[in-house]
Amino acid sequence: ATNAFGMGIDKPDVRFVFHADVSDSLDAYYQEIGRAGRDGEPAEAVLFFRSSDIGAQKYRASAGSAESEDLEHIASALAQQESPVSPETLSQNLDISARKLLNSMHKLEDIGAVEQLPGGEFQLITEESPAEIAQDAAQQQEVDQQNRRERLAQMQAYAECRSCRREVLLRYFGEDYTGPCGNCDNCEAAGALPNAAHDATQA
């Protein structure tokens, strides 16, 4: 399975997709289960879920945060460079691990303050002060984390819902579908028949 749209296993007769852990969003989940039944024949997607799984995903969603002090420190070091500098040199000069440095660099790239050149070197491409750069990056980081938390909450709501799962999924993607689909676990448990007004193919 994959959560990269347009990519994945090109095998039409996959009959099952099992999730041992909850996906981080409905977008990812829908793409992952979309590997099953691409030949039009019945297929089954099974998610093994318990509420504690969300805690692990919340931890992952907040992982990789960069400290404002580090962001400002790196921006200040870049501002003092007269030419692009390699990440190895910056890591040594600032006494920051390569992993921590690159994570911070990605945050600075996200706000358009830093550019990585084809050779791997970094350079500052903004006139803002290091303090302003760090503030902008920290604010963007918070927005990104909030978006991840909201997507995870939607995934949790789907996993815990007691209504037609096909309806929940398709409405999330903007389709005006009304269950029951007659195929998901909730509809089967309720003994619901497919809504005759809609295609009952399993989502």
Side-chain angles (χ1 to χ4, degrees):
T2 177
N3 58 12
F5 281 96
M7 300 175 64
I9 300 171
D10 186 18
K11 180 172 169 50
D13 59 344
V14 174
R15 298 272 70 86
F16 300 93
V17 172
F18 294 99
H19 275 83
D21 196 4
V22 65
S23 302
D24 61 6
S25 69
L26 277 176
D27 303 78
Y29 181 73
Y30 191 67
Q31 177 67 11
E32 289 157 4
I33 65 174
R35 297 300 105 192
R38 297 171 74 85
D39 57 2
E41 296 300 319
E44 188 169 358
V46 178
L47 169 63
F48 295 95
F49 172 81
R50 57 183 179 180
S51 297
S52 59
D53 294 339
I54 296 297
Q57 281 288 9
K58 284 182 178 178
Y59 175 79
R60 295 188 192 109
S62 61
S65 299
E67 298 292 335
S68 295
E69 294 80 3
D70 290 335
L71 293 168
E72 184 172 353
H73 195 194
I74 292 169
S76 179
L78 286 171
Q80 296 173 23
Q81 299 294 323
E82 296 182 356
S83 59
V85 60
S86 70
E88 293 80 13
T89 299
L90 272 177
S91 179
Q92 293 174 1
N93 292 345
L94 299 176
D95 194 23
I96 296 177
S97 69
R99 182 176 181 179
K100 192 173 186 179
L101 175 70
L102 289 176
N103 179 54
S104 297
M105 284 298 191
H106 291 321
K107 307 299 182 186
L108 297 177
E109 283 183 297
D110 287 343
I111 61 168
V114 167
E115 177 184 42
Q116 185 171 23
L117 303 179
E121 302 89 352
F122 287 100
Q123 65 179 5
L124 203 63
I125 55 173
T126 179
E127 297 298 326
E128 288 189 317
S129 69
E132 291 172 327
I133 292 171
Q135 182 179 18
D136 291 346
Q139 290 175 345
Q140 184 60 52
Q141 182 173 247
E142 177 55 35
V143 169
D144 293 341
Q145 289 183 351
Q146 180 59 33
N147 288 338
R148 287 196 292 270
R149 288 191 290 266
E150 290 175 359
R151 291 195 297 269
L152 185 57
Q154 292 166 333
M155 183 68 220
Q156 180 177 8
Y158 169 82
E160 296 176 346
C161 79
R162 294 293 177 263
S163 59
C164 174
R165 294 191 192 278
R166 181 179 175 87
E167 178 177 330
V168 173
L169 273 175
L170 295 185
R171 285 186 177 274
Y172 172 79
F173 285 102
E175 294 190 32
D176 186 18
Y177 177 87
T178 301
C181 67
N183 288 330
C184 72
D185 58 329
N186 289 338
C187 288
E188 288 183 349
L193 297 175
N195 188 328
H198 298 279
D199 177 10
T201 302
Q202 183 174 357

